[in-house]
Amino acid sequence: MSRLALSLNTLALGLITLVLGGAFAEQLIMGELPCPLCQLQRAGLIAAGLGFMLNLRFGIYPLHYGLVLFGALVGAAVSIRQILLHIAPGDPGFSQALFGLHMYTWSFVTFVWILLGVAFLLALLQPGAQPERTRHRLGGFVSLAFLLMVAANLVSTLLQCGLTQCADDPTGYAWLDLALSWFKKP
Amino acid sequence: MFTVFLLGLISALLVCIGHRNLAIATALTTTLLLAGLLFHHMTSKLPISL
């Protein structure tokens, strides 16, 4: 049972990392820069992922699942906020739709799946069982990938917004443009 | 805006190097900060910028 729970935690963290990677793909390949609410949803995924990372590193504790739930709930609240901002009839929504749903709607679906998944994982917990710190090579690899994704999000946010307020409808990278303008100076 | 990602990165690094309690504290702070930023986005009542 413990091995199943560890595998599912690894799968969950891997899927969160993939979703964050997908968001980057949309940003870098399709040129859809994230708005402030979009970035907060990415942060919600990161907050949820930290709980799974803690399980893989230190063993499975209910407290870690609590952190996942907290992060997913706040992330879901951000998604709902953005859904409601664009729910009026005739509103085209923000950015392109994927299979008929905008990214913030898919983000809400992802958070709901995380909440349901944690409910299932909590049901697997055996009362009184001691958390095991088992070496899990795949879990280590996935944790490293998640860490790199978090770092990439930090760098991307700094390049896009700098230390100031992010634009509601972003069109470029503030710090990147500033750096390029310095190089172009005669 | 970058502070929430910075805190998340610090928490992830603390997990990697083995500081469980600090990692949990920073992870919790990350989520609380995220909730605060959402509150500010909805109400603009906090003296900060997103």
Side-chain angles (χ1 to χ4, degrees):
Chain A
M1 196 62 81
S2 174
R3 190 166 245 181
L4 172 65
L6 270 175
S7 299
L8 289 173
N9 271 268
T10 305
L11 177 66
L13 186 61
L15 288 173
I16 287 173
T17 307
L18 276 175
V19 169
L20 288 169
F24 261 118
E26 192 196 17
Q27 176 181 342
L28 299 173
I29 297 171
M30 295 163 67
E32 299 264 4
L33 291 175
C35 61
L37 279 177
C38 307
Q39 296 196 7
L40 290 181
Q41 285 163 68
R42 292 186 187 190
L45 281 171
I46 288 169
L50 287 170
F52 290 120
M53 197 179 177
L54 280 159
N55 273 339
L56 293 178
R57 178 68 173 85
F58 299 108
I60 294 172
Y61 287 83
L63 173 59
H64 302 164
Y65 285 133
L67 289 174
V68 176
L69 290 175
F70 193 21
L73 279 170
V74 177
V78 178
S79 304
I80 290 171
R81 161 78 174 159
Q82 192 161 14
I83 289 169
L84 291 175
L85 283 173
H86 298 288
I87 208 169
D91 192 309
F94 185 84
S95 80
Q96 297 179 20
L98 181 69
F99 301 118
L101 298 178
H102 287 279
M103 296 307 285
Y104 39 86
T105 309
W106 282 117
S107 176
F108 176 69
V109 170
T110 303
F111 286 119
V112 170
W113 274 110
I114 290 173
L115 293 170
L116 289 172
V118 170
F120 177 73
L121 286 166
L122 282 169
L124 291 179
L125 272 182
Q126 292 174 353
Q130 289 297 316
E132 298 170 25
R133 286 194 191 190
T134 54
R135 286 202 168 200
H136 198 224
R137 189 170 286 181
L138 180 60
F141 175 74
V142 170
S143 296
L144 179 63
F146 177 74
L147 175 72
L148 291 174
M149 198 56 69
V150 176
N153 269 282
L154 174 62
V155 169
S156 170
T157 304
L158 282 170
L159 287 176
Q160 183 181 329
C161 312
L163 301 176
T164 58
Q165 184 166 338
C166 293
D168 282 337
D169 193 7
T171 54
Y173 294 90
W175 271 13
L176 201 57
D177 293 340
L178 189 65
L180 287 173
S181 69
W182 273 100
F183 282 114
K184 282 180 185 172
K185 271 187 179 176
Chain B
M1 178 64 76
F2 74 95
T3 49
V4 68
F5 294 106
L6 179 62
L7 269 175
L9 181 62
I10 290 170
S11 181
L13 286 168
L14 286 169
V15 172
C16 287
I17 63 177
H19 290 293
R20 179 174 175 253
N21 291 336
L22 270 176
I24 289 171
T26 45
L28 194 58
T29 309
T30 302
T31 310
L32 287 172
L33 178 62
L34 178 60
L37 290 174
L38 172 62
F39 176 77
H40 173 68
H41 191 276
M42 293 170 70
T43 62
S44 295
K45 287 198 174 190
L46 299 175
I48 58 171
S49 65
L50 273 178

